[in-house]
Amino acid sequence: MRDLRNDRVRRAGVREERLRATAGLRSSSTLSSWRGRSGRRYIVGVHPLTETELLEVTDAVILAVRRDRSGAGLIVDAAMAAAEPAEQTRMRWLAKVQGLGATELHIHRLAETEADRRAIFEDLRENETQAS
């Protein structure tokens, strides 16, 4: 049964899965998770799409997200944040994703190495044209 469930997850593609454990908490909107193409789940902090938030992020995977009419999160673009923020590059990315309708930053900070972040970044990309 587990193999069948995992196969369904892989076919379903990348998607947001709200955390049931935080459903009753006042701060539940600050945490969410994403299921990658591999079926792995990644916990993210949800932040406003602002210059301040983006410039403070280091060593993380960043998802620019917009919500559809039903409230479902859709990844507009993804990026990897290095240890030293490149301000001009991040500001160009911010303008780009805002232009594509993104309203939130979903930030995954639990990957310990750059290789781990790269693997997560690749797992959460919907297609080859989506990259930053």
Side-chain angles (χ1 to χ4, degrees), residues 52-62 79-86 90 107-112 117:
T52 303
E53 290 289 340
L54 186 59
L55 290 176
E56 291 179 359
V57 178
T58 59
D59 298 323
V61 176
I62 305 171
M80 289 177 39
E84 295 293 324
R90 289 192 186 192
I107 303 171
H108 178 75
R109 292 183 167 100
L110 302 176
E112 293 185 14
R117 287 187 289 280

Side-chain angles (χ1 to χ4, degrees), residues 14-39:
V14 175
R15 67 188 183 284
E16 183 180 25
E17 295 180 344
R18 301 286 173 100
L19 297 173
R20 283 178 264 162
T22 62
L25 301 177
R26 277 183 270 151
S27 64
S28 65
S29 62
T30 62
L31 290 176
S32 191
S33 72
W34 285 86
R35 184 77 62 180
R37 289 178 295 154
S38 68

Side-chain angles (χ1 to χ4, degrees), residues 9-17 33-38 42 61-66 72-79 118-132:
V9 168
R10 283 189 197 97
R11 284 193 306 249
V14 175
R15 67 188 183 284
E16 183 180 25
E17 295 180 344
S33 72
W34 285 86
R35 184 77 62 180
R37 289 178 295 154
S38 68
Y42 306 101
V61 176
I62 305 171
L63 307 174
V65 174
R66 69 177 175 85
L74 304 167
I75 297 175
V76 171
D77 201 6
R118 171 64 59 190
I120 293 165
F121 171 78
E122 294 295 333
D123 195 24
L124 291 172
R125 288 175 48 192
E126 282 284 358
N127 57 49
E128 293 305 314
T129 62
Q130 177 183 357
S132 288

